[in-house]
Amino acid sequence: DAGVIQSPRHEVTEMGQEVTLRCKPISGHDYLFWYRQTMMRGLELLIYFNNNVPIDDSGMPEDRFSAKMPNASFSTLKIQPSEPRDSAVYFCASSTGQGLFSGANVLTFGAGSRLTVL
Amino acid sequence: DQQVKQNSPSLSVQEGRISILNCDYTNSMFDYFLWYKKYPAEGPTFLISISSIKDKNEDGRFTVFLNKSAKHLSLHIVPSQPGDSAVYFCAASDETGTASKLTFGTGTRLQVTL
């Protein structure tokens, strides 16, 4: 398996522009997570899906952020309009969602999308 | 409010010595803890975990210790190697038996020097 695939790896845009980040989870993983990494807050959970359905979006910072998962192999995180404070590395991760104590419920992360908003 | 705290942003250790990375948490409902390792330009990768029913878990050079009463865990790496140089994230979960909605700390950058 190629692992979790994210695109683009780097995005530089101007304030006010729309940004779309993409993720392809590992085949067979029922859970998909979007995290944001900043120096001040570390890795923050933005939203996660189970079987393509959003379960918890309490970490989405504002209405400018939205995420979709139209099918089991694709998810997007959209920021519209983007602001300089959105500059961060955005990670997508997936897991099987089995019980924690089984050891199988470990997140596998993609390589991340580094966003810079000027 | 940061529920998982890694108060040391960086740590430098000589090759062959022990590296100790610390993590504190505030949520008493957390019952499963993990450490992830991250190299530059890569995503975090799972390293080792421990459930709240244990106080120690060992995997080769890596050992995680959990002190529930102090709400503290630590990762020991013995002996440290240059390839261990990375950012280490502590994570915790309170959703036993379900998907890992993990809460991460801010990370500690470990540098192992020759």
Side-chain angles (χ1 to χ4, degrees), chain A residues 13-19 62-65 78-86 117:
Chain A
T13 189
E14 292 189 347
M15 183 174 63
Q17 296 297 305
E18 178 179 296
V19 173
E62 301 173 30
D63 291 345
R64 298 184 297 106
F65 286 69
K78 187 174 291 187
I79 308 173
Q80 166 64 16
S82 58
E83 296 183 2
R85 58 189 167 132
D86 301 330
V117 183

Side-chain angles (χ1 to χ4, degrees), chain A residues 9-10 37 39 89 91 110-114, chain B residues 36-45 82-89 108-112:
Chain A
R9 291 296 309 276
H10 302 274
Q37 183 192 5
M39 289 294 291
V89 181
F91 288 101
S113 294
R114 180 175 293 276
Chain B
Y36 279 76
K37 177 180 180 179
K38 184 186 178 305
Y39 291 117
E42 295 182 11
T45 55
D84 297 328
S85 298
V87 177
Y88 290 79
F89 289 97
T108 295
R109 182 179 302 277
L110 173 66
Q111 182 171 6
V112 180

